[in-house]
């Protein structure tokens, strides 16, 4: 064979190698929600394609195909953006309820340009052999590239805040409302460190909150702590953390939550009477009218599961709080497809993936 033919053959082999390499690399790069577990194990679930190579990762369900991400991210990398939406699950449950999934999905839809993070305490004890089963619990969230699931590492969360000394001394087994108090503390620490917004997992987002620093009123007298947003290192949140430790009473419901925020708010804003649909400005903090998140009062929480005619318009609301803490009866009320209840209407409109999954399940 002449030298020119040898050179041509080598060039053709080189071109073929480059084509194969690009095809393989691009296939992996298209796979790209991010689950990060203890030990920095990370699996990227966004933009999942049904036709993805089943050999990449064996799943427990045929509909879920997952590839490891090329550039794993920690929760600190995501939160450092400063505009994330934060949810917390402070029990050890690994299977979120439909309401939790609806809350996360609705936030992902309403805030497409923000990262939405669900922190789950139960993930810290996750065994590697359980990872496949856990990922299969989030099929309604797989289409959102702005949703992330992380373990709630409380030692890291409280580090560098006044809450760390309290956390190291408290005995969870002696606390009557431990999961709620832990959530009260975690939201303050995370918002102070990184900024962004925190929502309870029973708040369905309706439209974007237009301000940075805000508290949501439950009534003209009390602030809630179910929805709040602040810039990083805001003085108000630091004062809340100091009061949390100084006036800690774990046996009093709401002492470290709504009552705490109300106490600190009263130091800078004595005017709590809302006029019509107006919000109240307290320094650089917007104290939001109850209609923004609490258009259905706590006394009327059961009406979510009743038929409304006509269906209410939520033009003045940024979210709807379901008061799920009160829904703990033996026959807990749930969303039933075809029931024409207010809850079903909200699911249809603001978490359609979860609603369709409910229909298939029923």
């Amino acid at each position: 064979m002449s030298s020119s033919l040898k050179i041509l053959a080598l060039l053709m082999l080189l071109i073929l190698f480059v084509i194969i390499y690009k095809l393989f690399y691009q296939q992996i790069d298209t796979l790209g929600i991010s689950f990060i577990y203890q030990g920095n194990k990370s699996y990227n679930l966004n933009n999942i394609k049904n036709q993805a190579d089943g050999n990449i990762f064996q799943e427990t369900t045929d509909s879920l195909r997952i590839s490891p991400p090329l550039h794993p991210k920690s929760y600190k990398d995501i939160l450092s953006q400063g505009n994330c939406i934060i949810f917390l699950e402070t029990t050890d449950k690994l299977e979120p309820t439909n309401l939790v999934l609806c809350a996360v999905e609705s936030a992902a839809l309403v805030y497409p340009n923000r990262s939405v993070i669900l922190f789950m305490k139960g993930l810290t004890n996750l065994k590697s052999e359980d990872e496949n089963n856990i990922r299969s619990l989030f099929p309604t969230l797989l289409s959102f590239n702005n949703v992330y699931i992380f373990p709630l590492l409380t030692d890291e969360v409280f580090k560098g805040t006044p809450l760390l000394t309290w956390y190291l001394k408290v005995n969870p087994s002696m606390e009557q409302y431990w999961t709620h108090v832990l959530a009260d503390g975690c939201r303050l620490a995370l918002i102070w460190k990184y900024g962004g917004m925190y929502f309870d997992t029973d708040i369905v987002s309706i439209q974007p909150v237009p301000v940075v620093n805000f508290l949501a009123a439950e009534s003209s007298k009390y602030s809630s702590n179910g929805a709040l947003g602040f810039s990083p290192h805001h003085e108000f949140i630091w004062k809340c953390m100091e009061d949390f430790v100084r006036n800690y009473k774990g046996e009093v419901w709401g002492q470290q939550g709504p009552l705490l925020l109300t106490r600190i708010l009263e130091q800078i804003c004595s005017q709590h009477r809302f006029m019509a649909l107006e919000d109240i400005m307290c320094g650089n903090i917007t104290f939001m009218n109850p209609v923004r998140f609490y258009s259905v009062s706590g006394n009327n929480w059961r009406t979510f599961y009743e038929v409304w005619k006509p269906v209410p318009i939520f033009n003045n609301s940024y979210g709807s709080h379901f008061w799920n803490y009160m829904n703990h009866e033996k026959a807990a009320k749930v969303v039933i497809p075809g029931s024409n209840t207010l809850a079903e209407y909200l699911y249809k409109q603001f978490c359609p993936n979860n609603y369709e999954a409910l229909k298939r399940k029923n």
Side-chain angles (χ1 to χ4, degrees):
M1 182 181 294
S2 65
S3 59
S4 60
L5 288 176
K6 288 181 179 180
I7 293 173
L8 181 61
L10 288 172
L11 285 173
M12 291 180 66
L13 286 172
L14 182 60
I15 292 172
L16 181 61
F17 176 81
V18 171
I19 292 174
I20 293 173
Y21 176 80
K22 283 189 173 183
L23 286 173
F24 179 75
Y25 180 84
Q26 288 174 351
Q27 180 182 357
I28 294 179
D29 200 34
T30 58
L31 296 178
I33 281 166
S34 181
F35 288 75
I36 299 187
Y37 301 102
Q38 189 82 345
N40 292 325
K41 294 182 179 180
S42 176
Y43 299 96
N44 194 310
L45 305 183
N46 290 330
N47 301 325
I48 299 299
K49 304 291 191 298
N50 287 333
Q51 68 270 26
D53 186 358
N55 295 323
I56 293 176
F57 209 100
Q58 183 63 42
E59 283 301 327
T60 57
T61 61
D62 294 333
S63 61
L64 193 58
R65 297 291 183 265
I66 301 170
S67 170
L70 297 176
H71 304 288
K73 293 182 178 180
S74 72
Y75 77 88
K76 295 180 182 179
D77 294 329
I78 305 300
L79 286 173
S80 63
Q81 300 168 9
N83 65 345
C84 296
I85 315 296
I86 298 171
F87 293 92
L88 295 171
E89 175 55 74
T90 52
T91 72
D92 290 327
K93 294 178 181 177
L94 292 177
E95 186 171 356
T97 65
N98 288 321
L99 183 52
V100 172
L101 294 173
C102 182
V104 175
E105 180 186 348
S106 65
L109 284 170
V110 170
Y111 303 93
N113 297 320
R114 293 184 176 216
S115 295
V116 178
I117 300 178
L118 172 61
F119 286 99
M120 298 183 69
K121 179 174 174 289
L123 290 181
T124 58
N125 298 318
L126 189 70
K127 298 178 180 179
S128 58
E129 59 266 27
D130 295 330
E131 291 176 358
N132 290 358
N133 294 330
I134 295 302
R135 286 191 299 277
S136 69
L137 299 177
F138 301 90
T140 60
L141 301 177
L142 296 182
S143 61
F144 298 101
N145 59 12
N146 61 330
V147 174
Y148 297 84
I149 314 294
F150 290 103
L152 180 62
L153 307 177
T154 47
D155 287 1
E156 288 187 15
V157 169
F158 292 131
K159 187 177 181 180
T161 76
L163 299 175
L164 183 60
T165 55
W166 158 78
Y167 180 68
L168 294 176
K169 293 179 180 178
V170 71
N171 183 356
S173 65
M174 302 297 292
E175 295 292 320
Q176 183 177 357
Y177 303 113
W178 175 243
T179 58
H180 304 280
V181 170
L182 181 61
D184 292 337
C186 286
R187 74 193 67 180
L188 293 175
L190 288 168
I191 291 297
W192 183 80
K193 285 183 175 182
Y194 302 102
M197 291 193 291
Y198 166 85
F199 292 147
D200 276 351
T201 52
D202 58 350
I203 287 182
V204 175
S205 293
I206 294 173
Q207 59 182 325
V209 174
V211 297
V212 175
N213 301 315
F214 74 90
L215 296 171
E218 288 185 17
S219 66
S220 61
K221 189 176 181 181
Y222 294 106
S223 172
S224 78
N225 72 335
L228 63 146
F230 284 88
S231 55
H233 299 159
H234 196 285
E235 182 184 11
F236 180 87
I237 299 298
W238 185 264
K239 288 182 177 180
C240 286
M241 291 190 293
E242 289 181 326
D243 186 279
F244 186 109
V245 177
R246 184 170 55 249
N247 296 306
Y248 182 74
K249 297 176 182 177
E251 72 281 4
V252 178
W253 171 256
Q255 172 73 5
Q256 297 3 101
L259 297 180
L260 166 62
L261 268 61
T262 301
R263 289 196 300 272
I264 306 303
L265 183 64
E266 287 177 344
Q267 296 177 11
I268 61 173
C269 192
S270 59
Q271 175 61 37
H272 285 184
R273 282 188 75 180
F274 292 97
M275 304 299 293
L277 297 175
E278 294 180 357
D279 300 322
I280 296 174
M281 288 304 300
C282 298
N284 67 346
I285 299 172
T286 301
F287 189 40
M288 290 188 170
N289 192 294
V291 74
R292 307 303 181 202
F293 288 95
Y294 297 91
S295 55
V296 176
S297 68
N299 292 333
N300 295 319
W301 70 268
R302 291 179 179 82
T303 61
F304 276 112
Y305 304 94
E306 297 174 358
V307 178
W308 287 48
K309 290 184 179 180
V311 175
I313 305 299
F314 290 90
N315 288 343
N316 298 308
S317 298
Y318 304 128
S320 188
H321 186 272
F322 271 60
W323 302 96
N324 198 53
Y325 173 70
M326 300 181 183
N327 188 13
H328 53 72
E329 302 168 346
K330 279 190 176 180
K333 296 185 181 298
V334 296
V335 175
I336 301 175
S339 61
N340 296 318
T341 61
L342 176 60
E344 184 191 15
Y345 167 79
L346 291 169
Y347 271 49
K348 277 184 179 180
Q349 296 295 315
F350 304 109
C351 56
N353 287 359
N354 193 58
Y355 179 71
E356 289 300 319
L358 275 177
K359 286 175 61 178
R360 291 193 297 270
K361 183 178 179 180
N362 281 274

